Amino acid sequence: MEDDQIYRRRAEGIVSVYMTFPDEPTAARIVAELLDERLIACANLLPGARSFYRWEGEVQDEVEVVAFAKTLEARLGRVVARVRDLHPYDTPCIVALAVAGGFGGYLEWVREEAAS
């Protein structure tokens, strides 16, 4: 197998969307909606994240659930809009991270799933 098939240095057009949620049921519900609407290829939920931030002048210390969803950059606007519609926070954390590279087979799978 050629190195390019194993590892692609560039994963053009693929992004990982980092999001936080107040609890696992909320995160799972929203991720399921994104999957049902074929806006993302997949997502990982990481419960138990401890988040520190300032909100309305007060420092907050909250337990949240982190989600990483993989999708196409072309779908990012729709993903952000849909998460904002479904999310209980007024200002949800939704941050897209460019994917620099990875396993070629996986990257192609993300492209196929998110493009459908």
Side-chain angles (χ1 to χ4, degrees):
M1 186 174 273
E2 292 181 24
D3 285 345
D4 188 49
Q5 290 175 324
I6 296 171
Y7 176 79
R8 292 202 179 152
R9 289 198 174 123
R10 301 190 71 190
E12 290 183 32
I14 297 177
V15 294
S16 182
V17 184
Y18 170 83
M19 301 171 283
T20 59
F21 298 93
D23 53 52
E24 198 164 354
T26 301
R29 178 180 55 79
I30 292 173
V31 163
E33 290 276 343
L34 298 175
L35 283 167
D36 286 346
E37 295 172 23
R38 302 201 67 94
L39 294 175
I40 63 172
C42 62
N44 307 100
L45 298 184
L46 307 169
R50 192 167 171 194
S51 298
F52 294 87
Y53 56 94
R54 187 178 307 277
W55 185 254
E56 297 179 348
E58 299 289 324
V59 173
Q60 306 295 315
D61 177 356
E62 303 286 338
V63 174
E64 294 185 300
V65 174
V66 170
F68 283 98
K70 277 65 82 183
T71 191
L72 301 175
E73 189 175 9
R75 296 224 185 238
L76 184 57
R78 291 180 57 202
V79 170
V80 171
R82 194 66 179 121
V83 173
R84 285 190 67 210
D85 287 345
L86 298 168
H87 207 291
Y89 293 167
D90 291 334
T91 309
C93 172
I94 312 167
V95 179
L97 308 167
V99 175
F103 173 56
Y106 179 78
L107 298 174
E108 286 307 313
W109 176 82
V110 169
R111 282 189 182 94
E112 290 170 13
E113 285 299 309
S116 298

